[in-house]
Amino acid sequence: MSLPLKTEILKIDGNCIKFSDRAHLDGSLPEISDAESRQALLKAASIIRDTDETVAFPTETVYGLGGSSLNDNSVLNIYKAKNRPSDNPLISHVSSIDQLNRKIYNDNEQGGELLRHIPQIYHPLIEKLWPGPLTILLPVPNSDKKTLSKFTTGEQPTFAVRIPANPIARALIALSDTPIAAPSANASTRPSPTLASHVYHDLKGKIPLILDGGACKVGVESTVVDGLCDPPALLRPGGFTYEDILNLGGKSWESCRVENKKAINAGEKVRTPGMKYKHYAPSAKVFLLIPNPDKSQHSPLKRLSQFLTTHKEALDQKKIAILTTFDLRDSQIEIENEFNSTVNANALVLNLGHSGEEIQANLFALLRKVDEDEKVDVIVVEGIPEDAEGLAVMNRLRKASGDNLVAF
């Protein structure tokens, strides 16, 4: 049995990192004005480039656990640290199109069409949304130019790739000049980490280094799209909305369908993370209140009272947190009274936010707060309509709650 690693946390100021306007295309290196941040990045880059170990780092979506996409042992160490099933493919993060061409497609041709390995259907999207929380599926290079680890791709004919917007993530990938395979830096099935402290909670002693760049702005993982099928598909909602894809993708994306397959067979391969296994789940039991379009008959508090009465046995005398969104957010005292009188429980009431963007950014952090810090037995979450950011939010909450879905 291997001994625990010493997990070091190094703070980095993302504001000290500056990229040129074309760096995501031509691969030019960033300027880093703070010496300590530069040294931390160089240390992390050396781990990625020169060893089989992994590094946790912030992206604009969530913290990622990164190892070289090209190195079997590095990718296996990602799976080991997370206790993640090895048939769950990983997203490769690159710092530029130039790096994609050189390091993944083993193509060092100078000049020519920069986007030559990216099908035309993606061009309108990546021209507007990269760097950013958009992941696309591309064909795996031919066998004579094979570079990606089979554990990165899950031995499939496609692989997932994106250029992150977070300057710390971009600088790490650029300085290592290595495509980085990076799922979320949490223990498998747990809520994704949006703070370095979340990573430390789950992975202390399992990884050597965490780069602490503060809170992640987006708060959920990247949007994953597949333009290799007809019609194209949204495989995972995330940092960019379905409406963004329709509005910015041009004519080819007008018929984009949303992958909503709820059950994956045991031996079935999946094209992207988040489709097959339990995800995003706290230790506490989660009830998700699904918004009912017809709310005219009862007030939000009346609907909450009905929920408490129906599920009294599961809630009675438990330590409970309720995370509110739109209908219940201004009713903290009334909610506390309902819980106390109906199920004999004191409820911790927290609001997820006043907009889809706020709710999305706060979701994982508040799930972790009530689960890990408050150690509640049950979490009740008020859902939101499944449009705009709501599609990604409800995707995560449905997975976190399992079958505990309640019409509200």
Side-chain angles (χ1 to χ4, degrees):
M1 186 173 180
S2 58
L3 294 174
L5 295 170
K6 179 183 178 182
T7 301
E8 186 178 12
I9 301 177
L10 297 178
K11 287 188 175 292
I12 295 186
D13 178 9
N15 294 320
C16 77
I17 303 169
K18 303 298 180 186
F19 284 88
S20 71
D21 291 341
R22 289 186 55 81
H24 67 290
L25 301 173
D26 62 25
S28 54
L29 295 177
E31 295 181 0
I32 305 172
S33 58
D34 177 67
E36 288 188 8
S37 293
R38 180 175 180 80
Q39 285 304 116
L41 282 164
L42 288 172
K43 181 174 184 175
S46 177
I47 293 173
I48 296 291
R49 182 183 60 245
D50 303 327
T51 81
D52 297 335
E53 288 297 342
T54 60
V55 172
F57 61 96
T59 77
E60 69 276 20
T61 57
V62 299
Y63 273 74
L65 177 60
S68 170
S69 291
L70 317 178
N71 180 333
D72 286 353
N73 290 331
S74 291
V75 180
L76 287 173
N77 277 332
I78 294 173
Y79 287 118
K80 180 181 177 182
K82 285 175 59 69
N83 193 28
R84 177 187 176 100
S86 60
D87 62 344
N88 205 359
L90 303 179
I91 294 171
S92 291
H93 297 70
V94 296
S95 60
S96 66
I97 303 296
D98 172 75
Q99 188 183 77
L100 172 73
N101 293 341
R102 290 185 297 105
K103 292 293 186 174
I104 293 183
Y105 283 98
N106 199 19
D107 179 355
N108 293 292
E109 176 187 339
Q110 299 298 315
E113 172 55 47
L114 187 64
L115 302 182
R116 55 187 174 272
H117 295 294
I118 300 178
Q120 182 66 40
I121 188 171
Y122 291 121
H123 291 193
L125 289 175
I126 65 175
E127 286 168 1
K128 300 178 183 75
L129 300 180
W130 272 6
L134 174 73
T135 294
I136 65 174
L137 261 57
L138 294 178
V140 168
N142 296 330
S143 58
D144 61 334
K145 290 190 174 183
K146 188 173 182 181
T147 56
L148 289 169
S149 166
K150 64 183 179 181
F151 302 114
T152 301
T153 65
E155 298 190 83
Q156 297 188 60
T158 60
F159 70 99
V161 65
R162 81 179 181 101
I163 301 178
N166 182 286
I168 298 171
R170 288 180 68 190
L172 173 62
I173 305 165
L175 291 172
S176 67
D177 199 21
T178 304
I180 295 180
S184 54
N186 57 301
S188 187
T189 78
R190 301 283 295 154
S192 298
T194 56
L195 294 170
S197 59
H198 299 159
V199 181
Y200 192 74
H201 177 278
D202 282 13
L203 302 183
K204 176 187 177 183
K206 297 180 179 181
I207 62 175
L209 181 61
I210 301 169
L211 298 180
D212 183 355
C216 300
K217 291 183 179 179
V218 174
V220 297
E221 296 81 358
S222 62
T223 299
V224 182
V225 295
D226 182 1
L228 305 178
C229 58
D230 187 16
L234 174 71
L235 299 183
R236 181 180 74 182
F240 287 123
T241 67
Y242 177 63
E243 291 83 355
D244 290 332
I245 303 303
L246 296 182
N247 292 337
L248 300 176
K251 191 171 182 62
S252 297
W253 291 89
E254 289 177 355
S255 58
C256 178
R257 62 184 177 83
V258 178
E259 178 71 63
N260 58 5
K261 190 172 184 180
K262 292 184 170 57
I264 302 291
N265 297 325
E268 185 176 351
K269 289 183 178 292
V270 294
R271 292 166 289 168
T272 184
M275 294 180 70
K276 188 170 185 178
Y277 296 99
K278 180 182 178 183
H279 276 74
Y280 319 120
S283 299
K285 184 174 185 175
V286 178
F287 284 97
L288 174 59
L289 307 182
I290 304 289
N292 187 337
D294 182 15
K295 301 176 181 178
S296 58
Q297 294 184 347
H298 301 295
S299 70
L301 287 171
K302 177 64 175 176
R303 299 197 302 273
L304 179 65
S305 178
Q306 291 173 340
F307 160 73
L308 296 178
T309 301
T310 303
H311 295 85
K312 180 177 173 61
E313 184 175 343
L315 301 171
D316 201 34
Q317 299 187 51
K318 296 290 197 303
K319 188 173 183 181
I320 300 171
I322 178 165
L323 306 183
T324 66
T325 56
F326 298 139
D327 287 351
L328 293 171
R329 67 186 177 200
D330 297 321
S331 305
Q332 178 173 344
I333 294 176
E334 292 88 344
I335 291 169
E336 291 171 350
N337 290 338
E338 283 287 347
F339 272 85
N340 191 43
S341 61
T342 307
V343 297
N344 191 24
N346 293 320
L348 171 64
V349 184
L350 297 171
N351 181 243
L352 279 166
H354 287 68
S355 68
E357 286 186 350
E358 285 186 3
I359 292 166
Q360 181 175 271
N362 294 333
L363 178 62
F364 288 139
L366 284 184
L367 283 175
R368 280 184 171 268
K369 174 181 171 60
V370 297
D371 191 48
E372 296 164 9
D373 299 341
E374 302 296 337
K375 301 189 184 308
V376 301
D377 303 304
V378 179
I379 304 171
V380 180
V381 187
E382 180 191 359
I384 62 176
E386 296 187 51
D387 55 7
E389 291 83 10
L391 188 63
V393 168
M394 294 297 282
N395 169 271
R396 275 52 174 190
L397 286 173
R398 285 176 183 275
K399 291 179 182 295
S401 62
D403 295 326
N404 301 316
L405 308 176
V406 180
F408 182 68

